[in-house]
Amino acid sequence: DTGVSQNPRHKITKRGQNVTFRCDPISEHNRLYWYRQTLGQGPEFLTYFQNEAQLEKSRLLSDRFSAERPKGSFSTLEIQRTEQGDSAMYLCASSLPVAGSTEAFFGQGTRLTVV
Amino acid sequence: GEDVEQSLFLSVREGDSSVINCTYTDSSSTYLYWYKQEPGAGLQLLTYIFSNMDMKQDQRLTVLLNKKDKHLSLRIADTQTGDSAIYFCAEEDAGGSYIPTFGRGTSLIVHP
């Protein structure tokens, strides 16, 4: 399977715990995006990487959210001290911009439930 | 996606055409996209249009772009029950970062 892979698919955690999600992009893609999607809403942009550089992180929802892409391949999204409001689907996408187009390929997401 | 607006629901009969509309705000967007999301699945890119085009056709899909009014539409001909899904319009943030920004999605329901 050469698509975008996200793990785990589902995560249930207790409030206050830390969680980490992993995204493996399509191998030749240099851009990687993280989005959050809540019920009835479209994907909400969180952050993105160009290779290993995190070029935009001002839209991360709070300082409890952080992301890394240490070698420019896979990425992790960590949420510290989870709150019930963090319950959502977390989507990862990757792209290889050609002539400006950012055709993004999405993974199936990680569904987080905070209890 | 408050910068991209879509109607939330559309119901059509199988075999009819569906038209899903979208308005966006960034006049400098270079590309505009339509994505499809089926229940429990990730987003799938259906088609996109470059901003210097008025229309793009791809099999049963027709995209119309009115750049003056910042209005984008997706027409699905001969709509089938398998087309039932949520359709998202997305514009690029052309402020240098080219980040796709999504609308809330239109839920298309196709009934026999």
Side-chain angles (χ1 to χ4, degrees):
Chain A
D1 187 346
T2 57
V4 177
S5 176
Q6 291 188 246
N7 288 288
R9 292 288 309 278
H10 303 274
K11 178 71 177 179
I12 301 174
T13 191
K14 290 184 178 178
R15 190 175 51 187
Q17 298 294 305
N18 300 343
V19 294
T20 300
F21 310 139
R22 176 177 171 127
C23 172
D24 288 90
I26 293 171
S27 58
E28 62 269 25
H29 286 184
N30 58 1
R31 281 204 179 180
L32 186 148
Y33 306 84
W34 284 101
Y35 287 81
R36 183 180 79 158
Q37 186 178 24
T38 53
L39 195 63
Q41 302 294 320
E44 176 186 12
F45 172 76
L46 297 178
T47 187
Y48 89 104
F49 295 84
Q50 175 98 0
N51 299 310
E52 66 274 12
Q54 190 174 12
L55 299 185
E56 172 61 66
K57 55 182 177 180
S58 66
R59 295 194 229 176
L60 285 166
L61 299 164
S62 78
D63 58 6
R64 297 184 295 105
F65 287 69
S66 62
E68 293 183 344
R69 194 183 185 197
K71 298 180 181 178
S73 57
F74 74 92
S75 175
T76 56
L77 177 70
E78 182 183 16
I79 309 174
Q80 296 181 324
R81 305 182 302 282
T82 52
E83 301 172 358
Q84 285 189 318
D86 297 333
S87 296
M89 178 75 85
Y90 291 85
L91 297 170
C92 174
S94 70
S95 72
L96 180 65
V98 174
S101 168
T102 53
E103 179 181 347
F105 293 81
F106 281 81
Q108 291 191 293
T110 295
R111 181 169 295 283
L112 173 66
T113 302
V114 182
V115 298
Chain B
E2 60 185 309
D3 294 334
V4 179
E5 293 191 0
Q6 304 177 236
S7 53
L8 295 183
F9 298 99
L10 176 65
S11 178
V12 300
R13 187 167 299 193
E14 189 175 17
D16 288 351
S17 292
S18 308
V19 179
I20 303 171
N21 295 301
C22 167
T23 56
Y24 60 97
T25 57
D26 192 342
S27 59
S28 58
S29 290
T30 310
Y31 287 90
L32 295 132
Y33 302 86
W34 283 104
Y35 282 81
K36 176 182 180 182
Q37 187 176 36
E38 295 180 88
L43 278 77
Q44 173 196 356
L45 179 68
L46 281 180
T47 186
Y48 63 92
I49 188 166
F50 188 52
S51 60
N52 68 353
M53 298 170 64
D54 298 323
M55 185 181 85
K56 180 179 179 181
Q57 188 152 1
D58 183 1
Q59 299 182 336
R60 292 190 298 123
L61 305 178
T62 303
V63 179
L64 295 178
L65 175 61
N66 181 328
K67 200 172 178 184
K68 173 176 170 290
D69 294 338
K70 297 179 197 162
H71 182 267
L72 183 73
S73 68
L74 174 69
R75 178 176 179 269
I76 306 173
D78 187 25
T79 314
Q80 302 297 305
T81 54
D83 294 324
S84 294
I86 302 175
Y87 291 81
F88 293 94
C89 168
E91 64 170 348
E92 281 187 346
D93 171 356
S97 53
Y98 299 99
I99 299 167
T101 300
F102 290 81
R104 288 182 62 182
T106 299
S107 182
L108 175 64
I109 300 163
V110 183
H111 53 90

